[in-house]
Amino acid sequence: MGKIIAIANQKGGVGKTTTSVNLAASLGVLEKKILLIDADPQANATSGLGIDVEEVENGTYQLLEHSVKAEDAIQKTNSPNLDIIPAHIDLVAIEIELVDQENRESMLKRAITPLKELYDYILIDCAPSLGLLTLNALTASDSVIIPIQCEYFALEGLGKLLNTIKSVQKLHNNKLDIEGLLLTMYDSRLRLSNQVVDEVKKHFDEMVFETIIQRNVRLSEAPSYGESIINYDASSKGASNYLSLAHEIIKKNE
């Protein structure tokens, strides 16, 4: 039985999509069967794995509408053991369309629960907001990874996200767990980066992953080639960081 993990933070630019794509690819390389669901209307995870967003006919939007079966929205990627349910800009409209629906926060859960039989891990790349799309992702998930950028306003907004997670636990999904807080964009030369690491570890201790994702040029180049860092440059710092995170998650769950 697979595990569904959402990657969420309502702040933009903290490394959510980078983490979704590269953690998925790393787990795939470690011979786990992985599905990545792009639940962000910007569709960066989709294009980051080399899929033409304009050509997407069945994706997360159709899944939430229940107009296609989950199996029919799955596409193969050129990364080993990694499939994706892609996104399209249409996804922007789904929040408005779901507003009047009954059980609107459970639409994704209903669509993807049967897929847990087929995969070891299902990762959901969330939109940078706490709207209905993210709520659907959290309701469908077993746990959530929260990327935190090693910068000045790192902890700002984190309280809000943790409150949202608490209310999801209370109202929609009492099994939702925090998989871990992931420190991203770390630059060891900056005193501030080190202060943020200390601060986050002081507050959240056991909840913080040991792996820290360092700033890495290759990591930011990879998406423009439609490749994960594993395919783009397996010897880079970014690749070794995400492989280390994948090992940590496997060890924790198995």
Side-chain angles (χ1 to χ4, degrees):
M1 193 70 159
K3 182 172 193 179
I4 302 178
I5 304 176
I7 292 147
N9 189 333
Q10 77 273 27
K11 280 182 74 154
V14 296
K16 268 192 306 291
T17 300
T18 304
T19 295
S20 303
V21 167
N22 295 309
L23 174 58
S26 300
L27 286 163
V29 165
L30 297 174
E31 300 189 339
K32 298 294 169 192
K33 227 175 152 345
I34 307 299
L35 175 66
L36 175 60
I37 298 174
D38 192 347
D40 181 353
Q42 295 172 50
N44 291 340
T46 301
S47 59
L49 282 169
I51 289 167
D52 185 347
V53 175
E54 296 303 316
E55 310 251 298
V56 171
E57 283 175 21
N58 292 332
T60 316
Y61 176 76
Q62 286 75 16
L63 208 59
L64 286 160
E65 270 194 329
H66 295 290
S67 63
V68 297
K69 274 210 182 90
E71 292 84 6
D72 299 333
I74 295 172
Q75 291 192 28
K76 292 252 167 274
T77 71
N78 56 12
S79 214
N81 300 316
L82 173 57
D83 295 343
I84 186 170
I85 293 181
H88 187 279
I89 190 68
D90 287 355
L91 199 51
V92 166
I94 201 74
E95 302 213 338
I96 298 159
E97 290 170 29
L98 289 180
V99 158
D100 304 328
Q101 304 277 343
E102 214 175 313
N103 293 332
R104 56 182 182 264
E105 61 291 310
S106 305
M107 294 298 188
L108 188 61
K109 183 177 186 164
R110 270 181 30 215
I112 67 172
T113 301
L115 298 177
K116 288 176 90 166
E117 303 293 331
L118 306 176
Y119 293 95
D120 296 309
Y121 294 96
I122 297 174
L123 303 183
I124 307 175
D125 183 27
C126 295
S129 75
L130 292 177
L132 201 45
L133 266 174
T134 300
L135 186 57
N136 261 275
L138 294 174
T139 303
S141 296
D142 299 304
S143 68
V144 53
I145 290 174
I146 304 171
I148 298 176
Q149 196 177 355
C150 292
E151 293 200 347
Y152 186 62
F153 290 117
L155 295 174
E156 199 181 67
L158 188 58
K160 204 171 176 182
L161 177 60
L162 294 172
N163 285 338
T164 300
I165 290 170
K166 269 198 193 109
S167 66
V168 171
Q169 285 166 329
K170 207 157 58 191
L171 299 170
H172 309 299
N173 179 3
N174 59 4
K175 295 193 171 70
L176 183 66
D177 223 352
I178 293 180
E179 189 74 27
L181 276 61
L182 176 68
L183 291 157
T184 63
M185 304 182 192
Y186 172 76
D187 186 339
S188 57
R189 296 164 307 181
L190 298 179
R191 205 170 84 213
L192 180 62
S193 269
N194 293 302
Q195 284 170 341
V196 171
V197 171
D198 294 343
E199 186 81 355
V200 172
K201 286 189 168 168
K202 190 175 82 191
H203 281 291
F204 298 101
D205 192 28
E206 298 289 288
M207 287 161 69
V208 187
F209 284 111
E210 279 172 36
T211 304
I212 294 178
I213 309 298
Q214 300 177 353
R215 273 197 187 281
N216 179 248
V217 176
R218 309 296 277 169
L219 209 47
S220 40
E221 286 172 358
S224 58
Y225 292 90
E227 289 187 340
S228 73
I229 190 64
I230 306 295
N231 281 14
Y232 181 63
D233 184 354
S235 64
S236 66
K237 194 83 193 147
S240 80
N241 287 167
Y242 277 109
L243 280 166
S244 157
L245 177 65
H247 276 295
E248 206 175 324
I249 285 171
I250 291 169
K251 190 175 160 197
K252 184 176 173 183
N253 285 292
E254 295 170 23

